[in-house]
Amino acid sequence: MAKLTKDAEERIINLLLSEGLADSELVSSIKQKAEAENKPVLAELIARKIISDDMVARATAAIIGIPYVELKNITIDQDILSKIPAEASTRVLIVPLGEKDGMLNIAMVDATNVQATDYISNLVNQPLRVWMSSERGIRETLEQYHGDFSGVKEAVKESDEEKEEKGDVKTIVQDSPISKALTTILSYAAKTKASDIHIEPLENSLIIRCRIDGVLRRIMELPKTVAPALVSRIKILSNLKIDEHRIPQDGQFTVLVDDQEIDLRIAISPVTWGEQVVIRLLDKTGVSMDIEKMGMTGHALRDVLKGISKPNGMILTSGPTGSGKSTTLYALIQQIKSEEINIVTLEDPVEYKMDGINQIQVNVDAGLTFANGLRSILRQDPDVVMVGEIRDSETAGLAVQAALTGHLVFSTLHTNSAAGILPRLLDMGIEPFLLASTLNVVIGQRLVRRVTEKRDMYKSNEVETKGINEIVGDLLPQEKDEVPNISEDLGYPGLPVANDDFYMLAKGMETKETPGGYKGRAGLYETITVDEEIQKLIIDHATANEIMRLAKEKGTITMRQDGILKALSGITTIEEVNRVASDLS
């Protein structure tokens, strides 16, 4: 905030009051206390959230006659950002906005600081036009420096020059420009907690996209000429054939980012305009292994904890690729891990290394498949077995046999819902009576993005309100005195009363680091405990819809219902729930 005289502070406060932006009695009370304690009045009003930093900055700009710029949702081109070094911008809270008529437009918090503007003007060797913005807006815009890929562009330029000299893109050493470019891309992906990097060739360019919180974001575009060298470098690191361009190849390697090892899984495929590369980042440090912190609560949590407390049987989780199934299994194993039991896993790949667990990596080329590995595991005196995925009838049959012979078995399937697991296993040839007697609990899941901590609350519109009432109206408290008990039972504190005219929902503030107002992800879960009544339906070859209908009567909360409850609790948004669960009942 700009340094202001008492007279200027008074004028700003009066302007805010005249615009009806603050309560006069409350301001007067806090003003008296601040003056008595010799504290700046505006700073105290901001600290107590009576007024916002943005409101003060806008009012200050109006009074001192400097134009104001709102930086929310504005993305500054990296070429413009690079005009002022990140260190200098952060130190004086200033960001470049663009050039016009030979002048560099800048936004700063203290627009009256002549010393700072002179310093920046000399630094860029250019006259400045000064705008004012809030400290919040400046700091959020400064975060865009984290996505600075100027190093990549320089490396690409160096690479082109080297290529002209050498004429051979296969001669790629560790400190070459193209290696530096790849390191920059990998470092950015790791720091932004991306799960995947997509390197995609087009006719005249190369696109780099990162999947952050489940959504792909385009981060840069490179010249098409760099594609052969970049793909070759990745192949070298992954021990793949550099001269093979006709068939898909899979590999892996490890990188060190900020002293943390990150495992990378590489998939290279021939496409129309070259070779596409998808890199999956497996970073153990960024993943919570606490099932409750992941978003499981209420009925689902009780079902699962009951299921894993049994000495034998099967716990299966389902969902599409990237829905967090493996992470859920790791979290459940973390719950039961003990020196008293032998836990063996069979995975492809081993995503997170855990102490005290015997983890086996599938190797199809060497003959170590899920089925063969599972046969071997059952000779190793296990108490708990985790099979990364049931892909075929043979593996399914062996998993059922393991559960029948006194083992607790965890695994995953690709189905759309928890109820869909049961007919899927029947399709694989498992006898209904075996399935009915071995399944403890089945889980369906999806992942939604979490609303960032910086947020606004708003009233739901007519369409949103109607949808909420239709989906969870029967679950919500019907009277105010029911709120504590029902909220505790569902696992979401402070739920609203059903059938209101509107509901209060959260919307995150969008920044470069929190696109769409989201940061991090939470799970949507539905669980079905396989009791006697569900067993009868399995034996009768019931459909997934029939099984889910009975499960809902017995208390199951569906993934879509769980999503709406999370939206009402401010964890996610209605739009996000509709994005990932609109196909579910």
Side-chain angles (χ1 to χ4, degrees):
M1 192 168 69
K3 294 177 182 177
L4 301 166
T5 63
K6 274 198 169 185
D7 178 58
E9 276 199 343
E10 191 70 35
R11 291 170 65 193
I12 290 167
I13 292 170
N14 289 337
L15 178 59
L16 293 172
L17 290 173
S18 67
E19 295 288 332
L21 298 174
D23 181 85
S24 58
E25 290 184 12
L26 197 54
V27 168
S28 178
S29 170
I30 292 171
K31 183 180 174 185
Q32 287 178 5
K33 288 181 183 177
E35 289 175 345
E37 297 171 7
N38 199 27
K39 292 180 179 178
V41 179
L42 281 175
E44 195 67 12
L45 289 171
I46 292 171
R48 291 173 180 262
K49 298 185 178 178
I50 307 303
I51 56 177
S52 70
D53 178 39
D54 293 316
M55 290 160 60
V56 172
R58 200 180 289 271
T60 305
I63 286 171
I64 63 180
I66 290 177
Y68 180 85
V69 59
E70 173 58 69
L71 293 177
K72 184 179 179 181
N73 298 334
I74 289 180
T75 301
I76 311 295
D77 188 272
Q78 290 295 333
D79 291 337
I80 296 298
L81 275 179
S82 62
K83 291 265 180 195
I84 303 175
E87 184 274 331
S89 289
T90 304
R91 183 151 44 88
V92 295
L93 289 178
I94 181 172
V95 290
L97 302 175
E99 292 180 289
K100 189 175 181 181
D101 300 329
M103 301 180 76
L104 180 64
N105 287 279
I106 62 165
M108 57 192 301
V109 173
D110 187 0
T112 60
N113 189 338
V114 177
Q115 194 174 6
T117 53
D118 285 346
Y119 163 69
I120 295 297
S121 182
N122 290 330
L123 187 67
V124 300
N125 194 28
Q126 199 172 357
L128 307 177
R129 185 180 181 214
V130 179
W131 297 68
M132 190 164 182
S133 192
S134 66
E135 183 174 343
R136 177 191 65 84
I138 295 285
R139 290 194 183 279
E140 287 183 357
T141 307
L142 286 174
E143 290 175 356
Q144 295 181 32
Y145 275 103
H146 295 169
D148 184 2
F149 291 104
S150 56
V152 175
K153 292 176 182 176
E154 289 172 15
V156 168
K157 186 178 177 183
E158 287 180 45
S159 176
D160 285 342
E161 291 169 358
E162 280 192 5
K163 196 160 52 169
E164 285 177 13
E165 293 173 13
K166 297 179 181 177
D168 182 9
V169 299
K170 294 180 184 177
T171 310
I172 306 168
V173 293
Q174 191 167 349
D175 59 350
S176 69
I178 208 67
S179 296
K180 293 174 187 175
L182 178 60
T183 299
T184 303
I185 294 168
L186 293 174
S187 178
Y188 171 81
K191 288 175 181 176
T192 56
K193 303 297 181 185
S195 60
D196 302 89
I197 303 168
H198 290 237
I199 301 173
E200 301 166 331
L202 302 181
E203 185 176 6
N204 300 308
S205 63
L206 188 69
I207 302 299
I208 312 293
R209 297 195 291 170
C210 286
R211 189 178 295 280
I212 301 172
D213 292 334
V215 178
L216 278 170
R217 290 167 54 194
R218 178 166 163 167
I219 61 168
M220 66 186 305
E221 183 174 351
L222 296 175
K224 184 64 179 286
T225 53
V226 81
L230 187 61
V231 174
S232 292
R233 179 60 187 159
I234 293 168
K235 286 180 177 179
I236 289 170
L237 292 170
S238 309
N239 291 319
L240 300 178
K241 296 177 181 177
I242 299 177
D243 56 351
E244 180 57 78
H245 307 290
R246 300 164 301 167
I247 60 173
Q249 297 189 74
D250 295 330
Q252 63 185 70
F253 64 94
T254 301
V255 293
L256 196 66
V257 177
D258 294 336
D259 297 324
Q260 293 291 340
E261 278 194 356
I262 298 176
D263 292 333
L264 306 176
R265 297 290 183 268
I266 314 301
I268 301 178
S269 302
V271 293
T272 305
W273 300 112
E275 289 180 282
Q276 179 195 37
V277 181
V278 177
I279 303 174
R280 169 151 287 191
L281 292 84
L282 303 174
D283 180 9
K284 181 179 176 181
T285 59
V287 177
S288 169
M289 292 297 177
D290 186 319
I291 195 70
E292 293 184 61
K293 288 180 181 176
M294 288 161 57
M296 188 177 287
T297 186
H299 181 277
L301 182 61
R302 291 191 294 271
D303 272 1
V304 167
L305 293 181
K306 184 179 177 182
I308 65 175
S309 68
K310 296 180 180 180
N312 53 60
M314 295 177 71
I315 291 91
L316 302 179
T317 181
S318 69
T321 301
S323 59
K325 300 186 297 296
S326 297
T327 308
T328 296
L329 293 188
Y330 281 114
L332 296 181
I333 284 177
Q334 190 76 29
Q335 286 272 342
I336 62 171
K337 190 174 76 168
S338 163
E339 290 184 359
E340 299 173 359
I341 59 175
N342 178 22
I343 303 175
V344 185
T345 75
L346 186 63
E347 308 169 60
D348 183 21
V350 174
E351 294 190 17
Y352 308 110
K353 298 174 180 66
M354 296 176 70
D355 292 334
I357 308 295
N358 301 300
Q359 296 172 278
I360 299 172
Q361 168 77 53
V362 166
N363 187 340
V364 177
D365 293 338
L368 180 55
T369 62
F370 277 113
N372 291 339
L374 189 48
R375 284 194 188 91
S376 173
I377 285 173
L378 295 177
R379 295 192 290 271
Q380 297 172 23
D381 185 32
D383 297 290
V384 178
V385 175
M386 180 183 118
V387 182
E389 184 183 344
I390 294 176
R391 296 178 179 173
D392 53 51
S393 302
E394 188 179 10
T395 308
L398 288 168
V400 169
Q401 290 301 320
L404 280 170
T405 52
H407 304 92
L408 188 61
V409 179
F410 295 86
S411 193
T412 71
L413 282 92
H414 281 82
T415 64
N416 285 330
S417 64
I421 289 175
L422 307 172
R424 176 78 181 104
L425 288 171
L426 293 175
D427 287 343
M428 286 184 172
I430 305 300
E431 292 292 341
F433 68 90
L434 291 178
L435 206 53
S437 58
T438 55
L439 283 174
N440 291 353
V441 62
V442 290
I443 307 164
Q445 66 180 81
R446 295 283 194 282
L447 290 177
V448 290
R449 291 177 291 173
R450 289 180 181 269
V451 175
T452 183
E453 290 182 9
K454 294 179 181 178
R455 59 180 63 194
D456 293 318
M457 302 301 292
Y458 72 97
K459 294 178 180 179
S460 60
N461 60 38
E462 188 177 341
V463 174
E464 290 170 330
T465 303
K466 183 181 178 183
I468 292 169
N469 287 331
E470 286 177 355
I471 298 168
V472 297
D474 294 340
L475 299 177
L476 294 175
Q478 304 301 311
E479 304 290 342
K480 280 190 178 180
D481 58 1
E482 296 177 348
V483 169
N485 290 337
I486 291 180
S487 295
E488 184 179 356
D489 181 64
L490 293 174
Y492 296 103
L495 287 173
V497 175
N499 301 310
D500 272 355
D501 294 334
F502 63 85
Y503 297 94
M504 295 306 297
L505 301 171
K507 185 173 181 61
M509 294 182 183
E510 184 165 10
T511 68
K512 185 74 173 179
E513 299 301 313
T514 57
Y518 300 101
K519 190 171 182 65
R521 289 193 285 178
L524 305 185
Y525 299 95
E526 65 186 20
T527 58
I528 300 174
T529 294
V530 182
D531 59 14
E532 287 185 11
E533 293 177 74
I534 299 291
Q535 286 176 354
K536 287 177 183 176
L537 288 182
I538 295 172
I539 291 169
D540 292 338
H541 288 266
T543 65
N545 286 339
E546 290 170 333
I547 293 167
M548 180 53 81
R549 197 176 302 120
L550 177 59
K552 286 172 73 174
E553 290 173 10
K554 298 170 77 64
T556 288
I557 307 296
T558 68
M559 281 184 274
R560 196 169 188 197
Q561 287 175 327
D562 191 35
I564 297 298
L565 293 174
K566 281 182 167 66
L568 290 171
S569 300
I571 296 170
T572 189
T573 63
I574 299 291
E575 293 84 1
E576 186 66 3
V577 174
N578 289 336
R579 181 180 72 85
V580 304
S582 60
D583 60 323
L584 303 171
S585 58

